[in-house]
Amino acid sequence: MELISIIVPCYNEQEVLPLFYDEITKTMNKMRTDNPGLDFELLFINDGSKDSTLKLLRELSAKDECVRYISFSRNFGKEAGMFAGLENANGDYVVIMDADLQHPPEYIPEMYDYVKNKGYDCATTRRVNRKGESKIRSWFARKFYKIMNKISQTEIVDGAQDYRFMSRQMVDSILSMKEYNRFSKGIFSWVGFNTKYIEYENVERAAGTTAWSFWKLFLYSLDGITAFSTVPLALASILGIISCLISFIMIIFIIIKTLAFGEDVQGYPTIICAIFFIGGLQLFCMGILGQYLSKTYLESKRRPIYIVKETEKTPRNKYEEN
Ligand code: UDP
Ligand code: MG
């Protein structure tokens, strides 16, 4: 007997959830007939949805015994959802996928084959295009991957997604990384192992709307940088050294100039420019230090990554009224 756990983080997905359930059930049934002895567990993580996602999950788990769910006490973010899923999955293999059908379930049999029979520890998809996404968003995304791969030892593949099929061994190593500021794309790559990338064309959301605004994605990308690179800290020192050098040259220049031509009250614009420039540099570098300090501060609090309010095992009467 082999068990595959499918982890699905959900945040306000009431529109797409029934569609997703139908699609994934088709795939699971097909795989069950093709591979006797294979079983599934569908583990939904309700990340504090404000719509009727939780109600749907209760219904699904009541009618289908392979459906489990974990419901958070509030919205903790997709990273926390994925972590909770990995921590609670029982499978020999674990799949992480989105609820909006942007990660087509048809790829699961192929991924299973790569991991089970072809010596890979992980199979994942890579978008070859960003069809249906705004131009500015794609541009920023591409730049992010470029910068990130320059300044970080951990390779982050452009277009790689959180749609993954992993062996138990890889899941356990991911779970051993208990950091609070989680950036999964980096974590998946940091733990190593053999990863197979399957290329596919971007698919648009089946229903509902994305929860990721441009601003949220931008902040997430900063998380990624601070979590997997300390180059910005070195950048602060380098900028400091450069401005020291410049000021040293300026000092010599001014001394010689004063000795040769005497002193008169001039150069007000130069001074103002220099003050603003150096002030700006200092604030910028302090900002970088602040970023790392704030991450360290959050890590040192050792807060839990998520808080569970309800699961499929919670007695019915406990939540009937809300
Ligand atoms: N999601 C989540 N918590 C959040 C935001 C999103 O669990 O705070 C889930 C969401 O339900 C979906 C997946 O993460 O299954 C990807 O989200 P979305 O489709 O909104 O992102 P996009 O595909 O636009 O990047
Ligand atoms: Mg999506």
Side-chain angles (χ1 to χ4, degrees):
M1 282 298 276
E2 269 181 335
L3 182 69
I4 299 184
S5 302
I6 301 177
I7 298 170
V8 192
C10 305
Y11 177 56
N12 296 341
E13 299 287 11
Q14 63 178 14
E15 270 121 75
V16 83
L17 215 54
L19 299 173
F20 174 80
Y21 177 73
D22 288 347
E23 288 298 315
I24 197 77
T25 307
K26 273 184 218 154
T27 305
M28 291 192 306
N29 286 339
K30 186 171 173 293
M31 285 181 79
R32 281 194 190 104
T33 29
D34 291 349
N35 311 273
L38 195 60
D39 211 355
F40 288 88
E41 149 185 279
L42 251 182
L43 178 54
F44 290 96
I45 315 294
N46 174 37
D47 185 12
S49 300
K50 293 181 180 67
D51 61 1
S52 52
T53 299
L54 179 57
K55 199 169 143 266
L56 284 170
L57 292 179
R58 285 174 188 149
E59 285 164 14
L60 285 179
S61 79
K63 80 167 194 219
D64 185 342
E65 60 165 8
C66 84
V67 174
R68 292 174 56 200
Y69 68 87
I70 290 172
S71 182
F72 288 174
S73 58
R74 64 168 169 85
N75 179 250
F76 279 87
K78 189 186 173 190
E79 287 290 342
M82 291 195 285
F83 185 76
L86 292 175
E87 221 171 29
N88 292 282
N90 299 317
D92 305 295
Y93 302 99
V94 173
V95 186
I96 302 183
M97 64 196 299
D98 287 359
D100 56 7
L101 290 172
Q102 278 187 306
H103 298 161
E106 302 91 86
Y107 286 94
I108 297 176
E110 193 182 340
M111 290 174 159
Y112 172 66
D113 186 45
Y114 276 115
V115 176
K116 186 171 164 73
N117 304 318
K118 298 195 176 144
Y120 288 98
D121 305 285
C122 170
T124 182
T125 55
R126 202 174 84 86
R127 297 195 275 194
V128 286
N129 63 8
R130 292 178 166 268
K131 202 176 67 191
E133 209 181 62
S134 82
K135 286 236 161 56
I136 314 174
R137 207 162 158 155
S138 315
W139 188 84
F140 271 98
R142 273 201 307 275
K143 282 283 167 294
F144 166 72
Y145 286 107
K146 237 192 168 148
I147 294 173
M148 190 69 202
N149 284 320
K150 279 231 167 70
I151 65 175
S152 168
Q153 311 278 314
T154 312
E155 199 204 355
I156 295 173
V157 178
D158 188 359
Q161 295 185 299
D162 296 337
Y163 185 15
R164 271 167 194 267
F165 190 106
M166 291 177 282
S167 65
R168 174 48 53 187
Q169 195 188 15
M170 181 159 172
V171 171
D172 288 341
S173 13
I174 290 170
L175 287 174
S176 70
M177 296 176 77
K178 299 263 182 236
E179 58 210 73
Y180 180 79
N181 296 288
R182 299 189 77 78
F183 184 70
S184 283
K185 285 193 170 80
I187 292 176
F188 291 142
S189 158
W190 192 91
V191 294
F193 295 103
N194 275 340
T195 302
K196 170 73 192 170
Y197 289 95
I198 301 170
E199 305 206 331
Y200 88 119
E201 301 243 321
N202 193 28
V203 187
E204 286 184 47
R205 210 172 221 290
T209 47
T210 173
W212 294 86
S213 63
F214 181 79
W215 182 238
K216 242 178 140 179
L217 274 177
F218 180 73
L219 292 180
Y220 184 58
S221 71
L222 289 187
D223 272 354
I225 292 176
T226 48
F228 282 92
S229 169
T230 48
V231 168
L233 284 174
L235 187 77
S237 325
I238 292 169
L239 282 177
I241 291 171
I242 293 176
S243 80
C244 273
L245 280 178
I246 293 176
S247 65
F248 188 69
I249 295 169
M250 268 167 72
I251 289 168
I252 294 177
F253 178 75
I254 287 166
I255 289 175
I256 294 174
K257 194 180 152 225
T258 317
L259 288 178
F261 301 102
E263 168 81 345
D264 49 21
V265 186
Q266 252 183 7
Y268 172 75
T270 325
I271 288 175
I272 287 297
C273 291
I275 288 175
F276 271 90
F277 178 68
I278 306 290
L281 267 190
Q282 283 177 334
L283 281 180
F284 177 69
C285 295
M286 259 164 64
I288 293 176
L289 289 178
Q291 280 294 318
Y292 282 89
L293 183 65
S294 70
K295 300 291 167 192
T296 319
Y297 172 65
L298 285 175
E299 291 296 344
S300 68
K301 284 185 187 234
R302 300 192 160 272
R303 285 182 182 161
I305 295 170
Y306 61 91
I307 290 169
V308 176
K309 183 172 174 219
E310 175 191 326
T311 72
E312 78 281 353
K313 296 199 185 73
T314 313
R316 276 263 140 185
N317 53 11
K318 232 194 123 190
Y319 53 70
E320 215 69 299
E321 66 275 15
N322 47 52

